[in-house]
Amino acid sequence: MPGRVLSVASECVPLVKTGGLADVVGALPKALAPLGWDMRVLIPAYRGLAAKLGRKTRTVWSDPALFGGPATVEAVEAQGLSLLLLDAPHLYDRPGGPYSDGGHDFPDNPERFAALSWVAASLARGGGTDGWVPDILHAHDWQAGFAPAYLRFGGPAPVKSVITIHNIAFQGHASPERLAALRLPLHEFHAGSLEYYGNLSSLKAGLVHADRITTVSPTYAEELMRPEFGMGLQGVIDARAEVLSGILNGVDTDLWDPAAPGQAHPYSVQNRKPKAEARAALLAEFGLGPVEGPLAIVISRLTAQKGIDLIAAAAPEFLAGGGGLVVLGSGDPGLEHAMRGLAAAWPDRVGVKIGYDEALGHRMFAGGDVVLVPSRFEPCGLTQLYGLRYGTLPVVAATGGLADTVVHANTMALAAGTATGLTFHPTDVLALTQTLRRCLALFADRATWARMQRAAMKSPVGWETSSRTYAALYEDLLT
Ligand code: ADP
């Protein structure tokens, strides 16, 4: 029997997004609704968010003193979602992004997201004044990590909890001096509960106290129990292996539809012309000369996790061999500099935009031939999925969700017509260089390339399978 789920997170598409977490949190309710699940999403009312919605809201929860100030929860239906906005101006009404003022993390982030988790647990336990009481609390990442813990510390509750790890690199550490301020019991500060190498960790709290743990791909679920990927939490996760599962993310196929009339460059695989047009437009947009080889795109946070340094090192041979490169992203200043350096050295072949731009991202998937994702670790990854959908073949490191979603062009897969991209291992410059060499050769073989594009565009990147897997997990929890 389907039920009600309270999903709690710090980001949700289309309202606030810094990465894949937001895509998934925004897509899940829509994916689960056809299966009968009623999911509401609780997120902070960051500055300007309520105004952006511009609709009538209903107050369903209030507290005159939530972690140092008054707070309400406003329910609103918007963008096809049932949203619960935690309006607490002292915590969220400030300039900058969700986590920082643009340069530095907000020093009160532990309180800001503990408050979000506290409210989630409170709503899960007693419901809102409108009578909506969830059956399941679904927390996402460290920002919601304390929610399952608060739920447990409050005594027996008829609500089960799930935590999803979208990226274990972020663990929500805080000094133990903040225990009382975060409304956490002092006696829970030990290695079996909240303590992590002398600090508090909200992600660990969630991993220990949730009834189920999920992550966003089957391969990442296995990797997380190894020291190379677990980032110190491998033991905690391994100890709970029996409640751990990996469920692949899907993509919102309405927002990412190469054939949608509203899209800048519609592209259907039956007709190669629009792809060529989109490619030409993209080259023109970046002022690049003719590129006879594959045009590779990178749409990413520019960080070591994403292997951007490997791209900087491997690109020259690829470019000399006829390839082109367009990069959209921001992040580590050294990597931004490296990308700008490539563009300066290859002005006709490399375009770089430092920044965040959803619309440009769409145009790049439409116009690119290849999407490069050489991540050192990748819980799921979304850009390779968008690439598949747009016939923009993924060249990816064989890790996490990348390994689960891209079918490498080995001899058998090519013969069977199932190959959709190229994967490589280990994640280093040599392997990427060799793979890009292979990519140049494959692209030159137009018939094979087109066959791979067709297979890619048929890949099941939507939520059909995964929504059923989540529903089965929820049902299992309720019975
Ligand atoms: P992560 O969540 O680790 O950053 P994902 O691949 O899971 O990586 O998700 C990244 C999401 O953010 C994708 O939807 C991608 O298209 C988008 N994205 C990343 N950087 C940019 C950017 N600079 N401009 C537009 N979209 C971006």
Side-chain angles (χ1 to χ4, degrees), residues 17-21 23 167 249 256 299-301 305-306 328-330 355-358 361 365 378-384 386:
K17 165 169 167 177
T18 72
L21 165 68
D23 290 290
N167 190 338
N249 286 336
W256 295 93
I299 301 172
S300 180
R301 293 184 284 118
Q305 178 203 333
K306 301 289 183 180
L328 167 63
S330 63
Y356 193 93
D357 188 336
E358 281 280 331
F365 282 110
E378 193 58 78
C380 178
L382 291 173
T383 56
Q384 86 280 11
Y386 302 142

mmCIF file of all heavy atoms in Angstrom, residues 17-21 23 167 249 256 299-301 305-306 328-330 355-358 361 365 378-384 386, ligand 1:
data_model
loop_
_atom_site.group_PDB
_atom_site.id
_atom_site.type_symbol
_atom_site.label_atom_id
_atom_site.label_comp_id
_atom_site.label_asym_id
_atom_site.label_seq_id
_atom_site.Cartn_x
_atom_site.Cartn_y
_atom_site.Cartn_z
ATOM 1 N N LYS A 17 19.491 24.917 -6.630
ATOM 2 C CA LYS A 17 20.321 23.798 -7.077
ATOM 3 C C LYS A 17 21.787 24.186 -7.098
ATOM 4 O O LYS A 17 22.138 25.235 -7.627
ATOM 5 C CB LYS A 17 19.883 23.376 -8.491
ATOM 6 C CG LYS A 17 20.893 22.484 -9.210
ATOM 7 C CD LYS A 17 20.335 21.875 -10.480
ATOM 8 C CE LYS A 17 21.435 21.262 -11.330
ATOM 9 N NZ LYS A 17 20.950 20.592 -12.530
ATOM 10 N N THR A 18 22.617 23.338 -6.500
ATOM 11 C CA THR A 18 24.060 23.476 -6.737
ATOM 12 C C THR A 18 24.615 22.209 -7.371
ATOM 13 O O THR A 18 25.758 22.198 -7.807
ATOM 14 C CB THR A 18 24.861 23.775 -5.448
ATOM 15 O OG1 THR A 18 24.907 22.595 -4.642
ATOM 16 C CG2 THR A 18 24.278 24.920 -4.660
ATOM 17 N N GLY A 19 23.828 21.125 -7.406
ATOM 18 C CA GLY A 19 24.341 19.887 -7.993
ATOM 19 C C GLY A 19 23.246 18.855 -8.158
ATOM 20 O O GLY A 19 22.042 19.163 -8.059
ATOM 21 N N GLY A 20 23.672 17.625 -8.378
ATOM 22 C CA GLY A 20 22.747 16.538 -8.696
ATOM 23 C C GLY A 20 21.729 16.253 -7.608
ATOM 24 O O GLY A 20 20.619 15.791 -7.891
ATOM 25 N N LEU A 21 22.087 16.531 -6.352
ATOM 26 C CA LEU A 21 21.147 16.342 -5.237
ATOM 27 C C LEU A 21 19.801 17.007 -5.549
ATOM 28 O O LEU A 21 18.731 16.416 -5.373
ATOM 29 C CB LEU A 21 21.758 16.932 -3.954
ATOM 30 C CG LEU A 21 20.825 17.150 -2.768
ATOM 31 C CD1 LEU A 21 20.358 15.818 -2.198
ATOM 32 C CD2 LEU A 21 21.529 17.966 -1.672
ATOM 33 N N ASP A 23 18.489 17.864 -8.429
ATOM 34 C CA ASP A 23 17.774 17.203 -9.530
ATOM 35 C C ASP A 23 16.967 16.024 -8.990
ATOM 36 O O ASP A 23 15.812 15.817 -9.349
ATOM 37 C CB ASP A 23 18.766 16.681 -10.580
ATOM 38 C CG ASP A 23 19.443 17.800 -11.364
ATOM 39 O OD1 ASP A 23 18.754 18.444 -12.156
ATOM 40 O OD2 ASP A 23 20.640 18.022 -11.181
ATOM 41 N N ASN A 167 26.593 12.043 -1.846
ATOM 42 C CA ASN A 167 28.042 12.232 -1.967
ATOM 43 C C ASN A 167 28.647 12.161 -0.573
ATOM 44 O O ASN A 167 28.394 13.021 0.262
ATOM 45 C CB ASN A 167 28.342 13.597 -2.603
ATOM 46 C CG ASN A 167 29.808 13.724 -2.976
ATOM 47 O OD1 ASN A 167 30.669 13.023 -2.430
ATOM 48 N ND2 ASN A 167 30.097 14.608 -3.906
ATOM 49 N N ASN A 249 19.941 6.916 -9.920
ATOM 50 C CA ASN A 249 19.131 8.099 -10.217
ATOM 51 C C ASN A 249 18.612 8.027 -11.646
ATOM 52 O O ASN A 249 19.249 7.460 -12.528
ATOM 53 C CB ASN A 249 19.973 9.371 -10.109
ATOM 54 C CG ASN A 249 20.278 9.735 -8.679
ATOM 55 O OD1 ASN A 249 19.552 9.353 -7.773
ATOM 56 N ND2 ASN A 249 21.352 10.465 -8.469
ATOM 57 N N TRP A 256 14.830 17.388 -19.656
ATOM 58 C CA TRP A 256 15.958 17.023 -20.527
ATOM 59 C C TRP A 256 15.429 16.224 -21.700
ATOM 60 O O TRP A 256 15.519 15.012 -21.738
ATOM 61 C CB TRP A 256 17.008 16.235 -19.729
ATOM 62 C CG TRP A 256 17.613 17.084 -18.661
ATOM 63 C CD1 TRP A 256 17.206 17.190 -17.372
ATOM 64 C CD2 TRP A 256 18.709 17.985 -18.815
ATOM 65 N NE1 TRP A 256 17.990 18.108 -16.703
ATOM 66 C CE2 TRP A 256 18.921 18.612 -17.573
ATOM 67 C CE3 TRP A 256 19.545 18.341 -19.888
ATOM 68 C CZ2 TRP A 256 19.922 19.558 -17.367
ATOM 69 C CZ3 TRP A 256 20.542 19.275 -19.676
ATOM 70 C CH2 TRP A 256 20.726 19.873 -18.430
ATOM 71 N N ILE A 299 30.453 19.677 -18.333
ATOM 72 C CA ILE A 299 29.539 20.540 -17.562
ATOM 73 C C ILE A 299 29.619 20.038 -16.133
ATOM 74 O O ILE A 299 29.091 18.969 -15.811
ATOM 75 C CB ILE A 299 28.098 20.458 -18.092
ATOM 76 C CG1 ILE A 299 28.086 20.882 -19.563
ATOM 77 C CG2 ILE A 299 27.157 21.314 -17.261
ATOM 78 C CD1 ILE A 299 26.776 20.675 -20.261
ATOM 79 N N SER A 300 30.320 20.798 -15.302
ATOM 80 C CA SER A 300 30.710 20.170 -14.044
ATOM 81 C C SER A 300 31.198 21.185 -13.030
ATOM 82 O O SER A 300 31.665 22.270 -13.378
ATOM 83 C CB SER A 300 31.868 19.203 -14.352
ATOM 84 O OG SER A 300 32.310 18.562 -13.202
ATOM 85 N N ARG A 301 31.120 20.789 -11.763
ATOM 86 C CA ARG A 301 31.926 21.476 -10.769
ATOM 87 C C ARG A 301 33.382 21.228 -11.149
ATOM 88 O O ARG A 301 33.745 20.111 -11.532
ATOM 89 C CB ARG A 301 31.654 20.907 -9.374
ATOM 90 C CG ARG A 301 30.248 21.185 -8.872
ATOM 91 C CD ARG A 301 30.032 20.704 -7.438
ATOM 92 N NE ARG A 301 29.880 19.255 -7.361
ATOM 93 C CZ ARG A 301 30.691 18.443 -6.695
ATOM 94 N NH1 ARG A 301 31.730 18.912 -6.049
ATOM 95 N NH2 ARG A 301 30.476 17.142 -6.668
ATOM 96 N N GLN A 305 37.571 15.904 -7.564
ATOM 97 C CA GLN A 305 36.665 14.748 -7.670
ATOM 98 C C GLN A 305 36.299 14.478 -9.120
ATOM 99 O O GLN A 305 36.240 13.328 -9.562
ATOM 100 C CB GLN A 305 35.367 14.983 -6.877
ATOM 101 C CG GLN A 305 34.385 13.800 -7.020
ATOM 102 C CD GLN A 305 32.915 14.157 -6.764
ATOM 103 O OE1 GLN A 305 32.614 15.085 -6.023
ATOM 104 N NE2 GLN A 305 32.013 13.414 -7.363
ATOM 105 N N LYS A 306 36.057 15.546 -9.860
ATOM 106 C CA LYS A 306 35.566 15.410 -11.238
ATOM 107 C C LYS A 306 36.689 15.164 -12.241
ATOM 108 O O LYS A 306 36.437 15.094 -13.447
ATOM 109 C CB LYS A 306 34.759 16.651 -11.619
ATOM 110 C CG LYS A 306 33.542 16.900 -10.705
ATOM 111 C CD LYS A 306 32.441 15.880 -10.927
ATOM 112 C CE LYS A 306 31.209 16.171 -10.083
ATOM 113 N NZ LYS A 306 30.146 15.193 -10.295
ATOM 114 N N LEU A 328 31.943 24.157 -19.283
ATOM 115 C CA LEU A 328 31.102 25.047 -18.476
ATOM 116 C C LEU A 328 31.202 24.587 -17.034
ATOM 117 O O LEU A 328 30.904 23.431 -16.734
ATOM 118 C CB LEU A 328 29.640 24.965 -18.945
ATOM 119 C CG LEU A 328 28.588 25.597 -18.026
ATOM 120 C CD1 LEU A 328 28.805 27.101 -17.887
ATOM 121 C CD2 LEU A 328 27.177 25.307 -18.545
ATOM 122 N N GLY A 329 31.641 25.472 -16.165
ATOM 123 C CA GLY A 329 31.709 25.070 -14.757
ATOM 124 C C GLY A 329 32.429 26.105 -13.925
ATOM 125 O O GLY A 329 32.924 27.115 -14.428
ATOM 126 N N SER A 330 32.470 25.837 -12.642
ATOM 127 C CA SER A 330 33.230 26.700 -11.744
ATOM 128 C C SER A 330 33.639 25.863 -10.546
ATOM 129 O O SER A 330 33.124 24.758 -10.348
ATOM 130 C CB SER A 330 32.383 27.895 -11.288
ATOM 131 O OG SER A 330 31.283 27.423 -10.552
ATOM 132 N N GLY A 355 31.233 29.576 -14.739
ATOM 133 C CA GLY A 355 29.959 30.053 -14.206
ATOM 134 C C GLY A 355 28.956 28.926 -14.206
ATOM 135 O O GLY A 355 29.299 27.768 -14.471
ATOM 136 N N TYR A 356 27.718 29.278 -13.883
ATOM 137 C CA TYR A 356 26.648 28.279 -13.828
ATOM 138 C C TYR A 356 25.548 28.732 -14.768
ATOM 139 O O TYR A 356 25.075 29.863 -14.672
ATOM 140 C CB TYR A 356 26.123 28.153 -12.391
ATOM 141 C CG TYR A 356 25.261 26.940 -12.225
ATOM 142 C CD1 TYR A 356 25.809 25.740 -11.782
ATOM 143 C CD2 TYR A 356 23.915 26.978 -12.547
ATOM 144 C CE1 TYR A 356 25.025 24.606 -11.673
ATOM 145 C CE2 TYR A 356 23.135 25.846 -12.435
ATOM 146 C CZ TYR A 356 23.687 24.668 -11.997
ATOM 147 O OH TYR A 356 22.921 23.545 -11.894
ATOM 148 N N ASP A 357 25.128 27.896 -15.695
ATOM 149 C CA ASP A 357 24.175 28.326 -16.712
ATOM 150 C C ASP A 357 23.403 27.114 -17.240
ATOM 151 O O ASP A 357 23.896 26.372 -18.094
ATOM 152 C CB ASP A 357 24.969 29.016 -17.835
ATOM 153 C CG ASP A 357 24.065 29.683 -18.866
ATOM 154 O OD1 ASP A 357 22.895 29.259 -19.007
ATOM 155 O OD2 ASP A 357 24.538 30.608 -19.541
ATOM 156 N N GLU A 358 22.193 26.936 -16.710
ATOM 157 C CA GLU A 358 21.371 25.767 -17.093
ATOM 158 C C GLU A 358 21.057 25.750 -18.588
ATOM 159 O O GLU A 358 21.136 24.707 -19.229
ATOM 160 C CB GLU A 358 20.034 25.788 -16.340
ATOM 161 C CG GLU A 358 20.088 25.316 -14.910
ATOM 162 C CD GLU A 358 20.105 23.795 -14.766
ATOM 163 O OE1 GLU A 358 19.563 23.086 -15.627
ATOM 164 O OE2 GLU A 358 20.687 23.326 -13.774
ATOM 165 N N GLY A 361 23.922 24.789 -20.576
ATOM 166 C CA GLY A 361 24.123 23.348 -20.386
ATOM 167 C C GLY A 361 23.288 22.548 -21.384
ATOM 168 O O GLY A 361 23.776 21.636 -22.037
ATOM 169 N N PHE A 365 24.662 19.992 -24.384
ATOM 170 C CA PHE A 365 24.302 18.577 -24.598
ATOM 171 C C PHE A 365 23.761 18.387 -26.010
ATOM 172 O O PHE A 365 24.018 17.369 -26.654
ATOM 173 C CB PHE A 365 23.282 18.103 -23.561
ATOM 174 C CG PHE A 365 23.908 17.808 -22.230
ATOM 175 C CD1 PHE A 365 23.670 18.615 -21.134
ATOM 176 C CD2 PHE A 365 24.774 16.729 -22.089
ATOM 177 C CE1 PHE A 365 24.269 18.350 -19.911
ATOM 178 C CE2 PHE A 365 25.373 16.457 -20.865
ATOM 179 C CZ PHE A 365 25.122 17.273 -19.781
ATOM 180 N N GLU A 378 32.221 8.860 -8.336
ATOM 181 C CA GLU A 378 30.984 9.466 -8.839
ATOM 182 C C GLU A 378 29.797 8.656 -8.333
ATOM 183 O O GLU A 378 29.494 7.588 -8.846
ATOM 184 C CB GLU A 378 31.001 9.490 -10.367
ATOM 185 C CG GLU A 378 29.930 10.367 -10.980
ATOM 186 C CD GLU A 378 30.031 11.814 -10.513
ATOM 187 O OE1 GLU A 378 30.897 12.560 -11.011
ATOM 188 O OE2 GLU A 378 29.243 12.166 -9.622
ATOM 189 N N PRO A 379 29.131 9.135 -7.280
ATOM 190 C CA PRO A 379 28.022 8.378 -6.696
ATOM 191 C C PRO A 379 27.030 7.902 -7.752
ATOM 192 O O PRO A 379 26.702 6.722 -7.809
ATOM 193 C CB PRO A 379 27.411 9.384 -5.722
ATOM 194 C CG PRO A 379 28.569 10.245 -5.316
ATOM 195 C CD PRO A 379 29.424 10.370 -6.550
ATOM 196 N N CYS A 380 26.522 8.806 -8.566
ATOM 197 C CA CYS A 380 25.700 8.403 -9.712
ATOM 198 C C CYS A 380 26.190 9.146 -10.942
ATOM 199 O O CYS A 380 26.621 8.573 -11.912
ATOM 200 C CB CYS A 380 24.208 8.699 -9.480
ATOM 201 S SG CYS A 380 23.230 8.253 -10.942
ATOM 202 N N GLY A 381 26.140 10.484 -10.844
ATOM 203 C CA GLY A 381 26.467 11.289 -12.017
ATOM 204 C C GLY A 381 25.213 11.460 -12.836
ATOM 205 O O GLY A 381 24.451 10.505 -13.067
ATOM 206 N N LEU A 382 24.961 12.682 -13.257
ATOM 207 C CA LEU A 382 23.791 12.929 -14.099
ATOM 208 C C LEU A 382 24.193 13.302 -15.509
ATOM 209 O O LEU A 382 23.468 13.026 -16.465
ATOM 210 C CB LEU A 382 22.947 14.053 -13.488
ATOM 211 C CG LEU A 382 22.253 13.694 -12.174
ATOM 212 C CD1 LEU A 382 21.587 14.919 -11.569
ATOM 213 C CD2 LEU A 382 21.226 12.593 -12.387
ATOM 214 N N THR A 383 25.365 13.911 -15.656
ATOM 215 C CA THR A 383 25.676 14.463 -16.981
ATOM 216 C C THR A 383 25.868 13.356 -18.018
ATOM 217 O O THR A 383 25.550 13.545 -19.188
ATOM 218 C CB THR A 383 26.892 15.405 -16.940
ATOM 219 O OG1 THR A 383 28.007 14.716 -16.394
ATOM 220 C CG2 THR A 383 26.602 16.634 -16.121
ATOM 221 N N GLN A 384 26.345 12.189 -17.582
ATOM 222 C CA GLN A 384 26.448 11.100 -18.572
ATOM 223 C C GLN A 384 25.062 10.638 -19.001
ATOM 224 O O GLN A 384 24.869 10.189 -20.132
ATOM 225 C CB GLN A 384 27.296 9.940 -18.008
ATOM 226 C CG GLN A 384 26.572 8.919 -17.165
ATOM 227 C CD GLN A 384 26.357 9.388 -15.729
ATOM 228 O OE1 GLN A 384 26.559 10.563 -15.393
ATOM 229 N NE2 GLN A 384 25.955 8.488 -14.857
ATOM 230 N N TYR A 386 22.327 12.672 -19.196
ATOM 231 C CA TYR A 386 21.858 13.675 -20.172
ATOM 232 C C TYR A 386 22.543 13.423 -21.513
ATOM 233 O O TYR A 386 21.914 13.518 -22.568
ATOM 234 C CB TYR A 386 22.181 15.101 -19.698
ATOM 235 C CG TYR A 386 21.595 15.466 -18.348
ATOM 236 C CD1 TYR A 386 22.304 16.249 -17.445
ATOM 237 C CD2 TYR A 386 20.327 15.036 -17.979
ATOM 238 C CE1 TYR A 386 21.785 16.593 -16.215
ATOM 239 C CE2 TYR A 386 19.794 15.373 -16.748
ATOM 240 C CZ TYR A 386 20.529 16.152 -15.866
ATOM 241 O OH TYR A 386 20.017 16.488 -14.646
HETATM 242 P P1 ADP B 1 27.410 16.694 -8.686
HETATM 243 O O1 ADP B 1 26.078 16.611 -8.030
HETATM 244 O O2 ADP B 1 28.470 15.879 -8.025
HETATM 245 O O3 ADP B 1 27.875 18.087 -8.948
HETATM 246 P P2 ADP B 1 26.054 15.433 -10.957
HETATM 247 O O4 ADP B 1 26.549 15.000 -12.291
HETATM 248 O O5 ADP B 1 25.316 14.427 -10.145
HETATM 249 O O6 ADP B 1 27.292 16.014 -10.146
HETATM 250 O O7 ADP B 1 25.081 16.661 -11.133
HETATM 251 C C1 ADP B 1 25.528 17.884 -11.593
HETATM 252 C C2 ADP B 1 24.326 18.653 -12.082
HETATM 253 O O8 ADP B 1 24.639 20.044 -12.118
HETATM 254 C C3 ADP B 1 23.928 18.295 -13.490
HETATM 255 O O9 ADP B 1 22.550 18.535 -13.639
HETATM 256 C C4 ADP B 1 24.749 19.290 -14.330
HETATM 257 O O10 ADP B 1 24.204 19.496 -15.610
HETATM 258 C C5 ADP B 1 24.673 20.512 -13.472
HETATM 259 N N1 ADP B 1 25.796 21.446 -13.569
HETATM 260 C C6 ADP B 1 27.017 21.331 -12.992
HETATM 261 N N2 ADP B 1 27.758 22.426 -13.231
HETATM 262 C C7 ADP B 1 26.999 23.241 -13.992
HETATM 263 C C8 ADP B 1 27.203 24.536 -14.581
HETATM 264 N N3 ADP B 1 28.336 25.190 -14.406
HETATM 265 N N4 ADP B 1 26.193 25.083 -15.282
HETATM 266 C C9 ADP B 1 25.026 24.418 -15.455
HETATM 267 N N5 ADP B 1 24.771 23.191 -14.924
HETATM 268 C C10 ADP B 1 25.736 22.616 -14.213
#
